[in-house]
Short mmCIF file of all heavy atoms in Angstrom, two decimals:
data_model
loop_
_atom_site.label_atom_id
_atom_site.label_comp_id
_atom_site.label_asym_id
_atom_site.label_seq_id
_atom_site.Cartn_x
_atom_site.Cartn_y
_atom_site.Cartn_z
N TYR A 3 171.71 -196.12 9.52
CA TYR A 3 171.14 -195.80 8.24
C TYR A 3 169.67 -195.81 8.39
O TYR A 3 169.18 -196.71 8.95
CB TYR A 3 171.73 -196.70 7.15
CG TYR A 3 171.17 -196.48 5.71
CD1 TYR A 3 171.57 -195.36 5.06
CD2 TYR A 3 170.22 -197.26 5.22
CE1 TYR A 3 171.11 -195.09 3.75
CE2 TYR A 3 169.69 -197.08 3.91
CZ TYR A 3 170.13 -195.90 3.28
OH TYR A 3 169.64 -195.60 2.11
N ALA A 6 165.58 -195.54 4.28
CA ALA A 6 164.58 -194.82 3.36
C ALA A 6 164.96 -195.22 1.92
O ALA A 6 164.11 -195.53 1.06
CB ALA A 6 164.57 -193.43 3.53
N GLY A 7 166.33 -195.34 1.63
CA GLY A 7 166.75 -195.68 0.33
C GLY A 7 166.33 -196.99 -0.14
O GLY A 7 165.86 -197.27 -1.21
N MET A 8 166.39 -198.02 0.85
CA MET A 8 166.03 -199.40 0.66
C MET A 8 164.57 -199.53 0.39
O MET A 8 164.02 -200.21 -0.55
CB MET A 8 166.48 -200.23 1.82
CG MET A 8 167.85 -200.28 2.23
SD MET A 8 168.88 -200.91 0.94
CE MET A 8 168.77 -202.59 1.34
N LEU A 11 163.55 -198.16 -2.98
CA LEU A 11 163.79 -199.03 -4.23
C LEU A 11 163.08 -200.23 -4.12
O LEU A 11 163.33 -201.06 -5.11
CB LEU A 11 165.35 -199.30 -4.22
CG LEU A 11 166.25 -197.99 -4.50
CD1 LEU A 11 167.76 -198.33 -4.32
CD2 LEU A 11 165.92 -197.49 -5.90
N PHE A 20 164.94 -194.99 -10.87
CA PHE A 20 166.22 -194.68 -10.42
C PHE A 20 167.18 -195.24 -11.44
O PHE A 20 168.32 -194.53 -11.74
CB PHE A 20 166.48 -195.37 -9.06
CG PHE A 20 167.75 -195.26 -8.50
CD1 PHE A 20 168.13 -194.04 -7.99
CD2 PHE A 20 168.66 -196.29 -8.58
CE1 PHE A 20 169.42 -193.95 -7.52
CE2 PHE A 20 169.86 -196.16 -8.05
CZ PHE A 20 170.29 -194.96 -7.42
N LEU A 56 168.32 -190.33 -2.75
CA LEU A 56 168.93 -191.14 -3.81
C LEU A 56 168.97 -190.30 -5.14
O LEU A 56 169.89 -190.76 -6.00
CB LEU A 56 168.15 -192.47 -4.12
CG LEU A 56 168.02 -193.41 -2.90
CD1 LEU A 56 167.26 -194.62 -3.25
CD2 LEU A 56 169.60 -193.79 -2.58
N HIS A 73 175.82 -188.59 -2.47
CA HIS A 73 176.07 -188.45 -1.04
C HIS A 73 175.16 -189.57 -0.48
O HIS A 73 175.56 -190.41 0.27
CB HIS A 73 175.88 -187.21 -0.39
CG HIS A 73 176.03 -187.12 1.01
ND1 HIS A 73 177.25 -187.26 1.54
CD2 HIS A 73 175.16 -187.06 2.00
CE1 HIS A 73 177.13 -187.23 2.92
NE2 HIS A 73 175.85 -187.13 3.29
N GLY A 74 173.77 -189.42 -0.84
CA GLY A 74 172.86 -190.30 -0.31
C GLY A 74 173.10 -191.87 -0.72
O GLY A 74 173.03 -192.76 0.07
N LEU A 75 173.36 -191.96 -1.96
CA LEU A 75 173.76 -193.30 -2.49
C LEU A 75 175.03 -193.91 -1.71
O LEU A 75 175.05 -195.04 -1.41
CB LEU A 75 173.93 -193.33 -3.98
CG LEU A 75 174.10 -194.58 -4.70
CD1 LEU A 75 172.90 -195.50 -4.51
CD2 LEU A 75 174.37 -194.29 -6.09
N GLY A 76 175.96 -193.05 -1.52
CA GLY A 76 177.17 -193.48 -0.71
C GLY A 76 176.91 -194.00 0.63
O GLY A 76 177.47 -194.89 1.11
N GLU A 77 175.95 -193.25 1.37
CA GLU A 77 175.52 -193.70 2.60
C GLU A 77 174.86 -195.05 2.59
O GLU A 77 175.14 -195.97 3.48
CB GLU A 77 174.52 -192.73 3.27
CG GLU A 77 175.15 -191.34 3.68
CD GLU A 77 174.19 -190.45 4.28
OE1 GLU A 77 172.92 -190.75 4.23
OE2 GLU A 77 174.57 -189.42 4.69
N MET A 78 173.99 -195.36 1.68
CA MET A 78 173.27 -196.59 1.51
C MET A 78 174.40 -197.71 1.22
O MET A 78 174.41 -198.74 1.67
CB MET A 78 172.26 -196.56 0.45
CG MET A 78 171.47 -197.97 0.39
SD MET A 78 170.00 -197.74 -0.63
CE MET A 78 170.72 -197.87 -2.30
N ARG A 79 175.28 -197.22 0.31
CA ARG A 79 176.40 -198.40 -0.12
C ARG A 79 177.23 -198.63 1.05
O ARG A 79 177.53 -199.81 1.26
CB ARG A 79 177.26 -197.69 -1.22
CG ARG A 79 178.51 -198.49 -1.66
CD ARG A 79 178.18 -199.75 -2.30
NE ARG A 79 179.35 -200.59 -2.56
CZ ARG A 79 180.21 -200.60 -3.49
NH1 ARG A 79 180.02 -199.62 -4.42
NH2 ARG A 79 181.22 -201.43 -3.49
N ALA A 80 177.57 -197.86 1.91
CA ALA A 80 178.44 -198.04 3.06
C ALA A 80 177.65 -198.97 3.99
O ALA A 80 178.22 -199.75 4.68
CB ALA A 80 178.84 -196.69 3.79
N TRP A 81 176.42 -198.67 4.22
CA TRP A 81 175.62 -199.47 5.02
C TRP A 81 175.49 -200.87 4.65
O TRP A 81 175.71 -201.92 5.27
CB TRP A 81 174.16 -198.87 5.35
CG TRP A 81 173.32 -199.74 6.11
CD1 TRP A 81 173.28 -199.68 7.53
CD2 TRP A 81 172.41 -200.55 5.78
NE1 TRP A 81 172.36 -200.57 8.05
CE2 TRP A 81 171.86 -201.17 6.95
CE3 TRP A 81 171.87 -201.20 4.62
CZ2 TRP A 81 170.86 -202.13 6.89
CZ3 TRP A 81 170.97 -202.15 4.47
CH2 TRP A 81 170.45 -202.64 5.80
N LEU A 82 175.28 -200.96 3.27
CA LEU A 82 175.24 -202.42 2.57
C LEU A 82 176.56 -203.08 2.68
O LEU A 82 176.52 -204.30 3.11
CB LEU A 82 174.79 -202.26 1.14
CG LEU A 82 173.27 -201.86 0.94
CD1 LEU A 82 172.99 -201.61 -0.61
CD2 LEU A 82 172.44 -203.09 1.43
N ASP A 83 177.64 -202.38 2.48
CA ASP A 83 178.99 -203.03 2.61
C ASP A 83 179.20 -203.48 4.14
O ASP A 83 179.71 -204.57 4.26
CB ASP A 83 180.01 -201.91 2.34
CG ASP A 83 180.15 -201.74 0.84
OD1 ASP A 83 179.63 -202.46 0.01
OD2 ASP A 83 180.81 -200.69 0.44
#
Side-chain angles (χ1 to χ4, degrees):
Y3 182 70
M8 304 294 277
L11 293 175
F20 177 76
L56 294 176
H73 182 72
L75 190 59
E77 287 179 359
M78 186 169 74
R79 170 73 191 268
W81 181 82
L82 288 169
D83 287 347

